[in-house]
Amino acid sequence: MRALARGLLVAAMFSVVTPAYAQLVDGPLGSTGGVFGGHRAINPNRSAQTFEMNVDLGGGYDREPNAIPIGLVGSGLDSGWPVADGMISTSYRVGHLRRSFSALARGSVNYFGNTHIPLLGGGAILNGVTTFGRLGLNRLEVNVNASYEPSAAFGAISPAPPVGQAPPLSIAPEFGVTEQRWFNMNGSTVYRHHWSARHQTDLLIGAGQVQPVADAGLNSEWQNATISQRWATRSGFDLQGSYRFDQSRQMDETASLPDGQPVVESGPTRYQTATIGVHLGRRLSAARRLSVSLSGGVTQLLLAGSASGEEFHPAVSLSFEFIPARMWALSMMASQQVTVMAGVSASPVDNKNFALTLNGTVLRRLHLAVTGNYMKGTTLAGTAMSHTAATGGNLGLQYGFKRSFGVYATYSYYHHRLENGLPTAAGIPPLYDRQSARVGFTLWLPLYGTF
């Protein structure tokens, strides 16, 4: 398990994150190093390949007060239970700076003491990157992701990962409602063209599907496209502009009305967003860096069957990152945007979201990661206004005995509350709390290639 808190990937709705879990900070792109990361950088101009495996085993305790029916509170039933989980993940990469291919795969098992049923899961990610043109000014990246998640995290329909970064593989316990099971498949293509050393254009096209396996949740299909421009007017200062179009459709295929029609079936929800912004980056010293991004714009929501046919809502985001020392990083993100909860509700919401991440090295081998996030959403369709709130956080520590072996401990918390006015799929709990504690070990195995 590498990269403790590489990612707090904050989803736009339910603020669901890909948890850090006892991982370490990644080294530079193309580096290797096992548990610690960044041990040695591979020459980016020479073709190389690596094949590695990570084994993660852990256990602990989960507590969910809402697991007991209200009428049985105080009856002596236990709202907590022991848990155990394990994951084997493999990663293969071949190529160099101009052209590369990588494949990541994982298999996991989660055992919860309240159900005594092991939940199996897995996933795979394929990523290909190539640069072409006489001067290498064109870049094409393709991502394909398929997974079966036995402990699903609810989240908004999101675009592909940032250009140049493969999406991470999550490790249980997930944030969100762990009793749900989902099949997720999505893909994206990103094309980048450098018009000059200071001007570039990115075009992103993505599509995917989130499908419930059990009897709760909505079958969600989505597509989006984004075009963005970036101009570096001077050193450390960029102007940015983007346009994005989103379309999604959600339907409950597990239940139907007496006439045979689905209980929840939405027509296509479409909205388009245009933003402009700035990015400021400043190197304060050899080790300290500061970067700030601010953007603002408007989202036009196209509501099928509404009186006006369209509505306008603000789209604002602010991100901040501060590197106070070589092995420490602090980041913050705040945003307001229109989104749709994949698998939960067909109603678009105006989402306000805040997230904070701190990670770094306490001692030479002891690494710390803290993440926290808060979300509040308000429905934008229908006659009744409804609010949704969610809070999540994670604290992780990992100690590396050597390059190939480390131990970890984590604590995570998740809470959400759905008001009755929000039309959701059957089986989605309106109130949910969960606390999880884990301890375990991680083993890194370099199997083949350059390390």
Side-chain angles (χ1 to χ4, degrees):
M1 291 169 64
R2 295 178 301 172
L4 176 66
R6 173 195 192 179
L8 182 62
L9 291 184
V10 181
M13 191 60 191
F14 264 120
S15 280
V16 177
V17 295
T18 301
Y21 300 116
Q23 302 179 8
L24 295 181
V25 178
D26 270 343
L29 185 66
S31 70
T32 61
V35 171
F36 299 103
H39 178 74
R40 181 168 62 88
I42 300 173
N43 187 337
N45 297 314
R46 297 184 59 183
S47 181
Q49 56 182 327
T50 59
F51 181 45
E52 56 188 332
M53 175 182 293
N54 286 272
V55 179
D56 305 291
L57 296 175
Y61 190 79
D62 278 10
R63 185 175 186 272
E64 182 193 333
N66 302 117
I68 302 177
I70 295 177
L72 299 179
V73 173
S75 62
L77 295 178
D78 191 4
S79 61
W81 46 81
V83 295
D85 50 62
M87 187 179 80
I88 296 178
S89 61
T90 60
S91 173
Y92 174 77
R93 182 183 184 275
V94 60
H96 47 78
L97 185 63
R98 291 176 56 91
R99 188 174 296 107
S100 66
F101 170 79
S102 62
L104 300 89
R106 80 177 190 277
S108 63
V109 58
N110 300 296
Y111 175 83
F112 298 97
N114 60 328
T115 61
H116 303 288
I117 299 176
L119 300 179
L120 303 178
I125 299 173
L126 303 179
N127 173 265
V129 178
T130 183
T131 58
F132 55 95
R134 186 171 60 88
L135 300 178
L137 300 179
N138 301 281
R139 174 190 171 95
L140 181 67
E141 180 174 356
V142 178
N143 287 288
V144 178
N145 179 10
S147 64
Y148 169 68
E149 302 293 348
S151 52
F154 295 151
I157 295 170
S158 60
V163 176
Q165 297 182 22
L169 296 175
S170 59
I171 300 172
E174 297 278 3
F175 284 117
V177 182
T178 60
E179 285 77 12
Q180 305 305 114
R181 307 185 188 190
W182 305 81
F183 177 74
N184 175 38
M185 186 170 185
N186 60 75
S188 65
T189 300
V190 182
Y191 169 71
R192 168 176 290 181
H193 178 72
H194 291 270
W195 301 96
S196 68
R198 294 177 174 268
H199 180 203
Q200 70 182 44
T201 299
D202 291 333
L203 174 63
L204 180 151
I205 299 175
Q209 181 179 31
V210 179
Q211 182 176 357
V213 178
D215 295 332
L218 300 177
N219 184 20
S220 303
E221 300 176 354
W222 56 268
Q223 304 85 34
N224 57 39
T226 304
I227 184 169
S228 60
Q229 303 282 336
R230 184 169 181 171
W231 297 271
T233 58
R234 62 176 184 269
S235 178
F237 185 83
D238 299 346
L239 294 176
Q240 302 172 344
S242 69
Y243 166 80
R244 172 171 167 171
F245 176 82
D246 286 86
Q247 174 177 282
S248 67
R249 178 187 176 97
Q250 305 206 50
M251 182 172 62
D252 189 347
E253 297 181 342
T254 63
S256 62
L257 298 173
D259 60 0
Q261 296 299 317
V263 174
V264 178
E265 181 177 11
S266 71
T269 299
R270 301 186 179 96
Y271 50 97
Q272 54 186 354
T273 305
T275 62
I276 58 174
V278 297
H279 172 80
L280 175 65
R282 182 69 59 87
R283 180 176 290 276
L284 305 177
S285 68
R288 295 187 300 155
R289 300 193 306 275
L290 173 68
S291 64
V292 180
S293 295
L294 173 65
S295 67
V298 64
T299 295
Q300 181 188 34
L301 179 61
L302 308 176
L303 295 174
S306 67
S308 63
E310 61 185 39
E311 292 185 6
F312 294 90
H313 303 274
V316 182
S317 73
L318 169 66
S319 63
F320 167 88
E321 183 180 33
F322 178 53
I323 310 296
R326 188 175 65 88
M327 293 298 293
W328 282 93
L330 171 67
S331 63
M332 180 272 290
M333 186 278 291
S335 67
Q336 178 178 355
Q337 60 185 353
V338 174
T339 190
V340 175
M341 290 186 292
V344 179
S345 175
S347 176
V349 297
D350 181 30
N351 173 61
K352 297 178 178 66
N353 190 40
F354 175 80
L356 183 70
T357 302
L358 172 67
N359 65 83
T361 302
V362 181
L363 301 172
R364 188 171 68 90
R365 295 186 174 186
L366 180 64
H367 296 260
L368 164 73
V370 180
T371 62
N373 54 281
Y374 172 78
M375 179 280 300
K376 184 175 182 180
T378 305
T379 56
L380 298 177
T383 57
M385 179 177 294
S386 175
H387 299 284
T388 301
T391 304
N394 188 66
L395 169 66
L397 287 169
Q398 177 165 339
Y399 183 82
F401 288 97
K402 54 183 180 179
R403 186 183 178 194
S404 60
F405 181 77
V407 295
Y408 65 87
T410 67
Y411 169 79
S412 61
Y413 172 77
Y414 173 80
H415 166 85
H416 79 236
R417 179 185 295 272
L418 307 178
E419 291 188 356
N420 293 332
L422 180 68
T424 60
I428 303 299
L431 179 63
Y432 193 85
D433 289 276
R434 197 176 194 93
Q435 300 180 63
S436 300
R438 298 287 190 274
V439 293
F441 70 88
T442 179
L443 178 66
W444 175 71
L445 302 173
L447 301 178
Y448 179 78
T450 304
F451 294 97

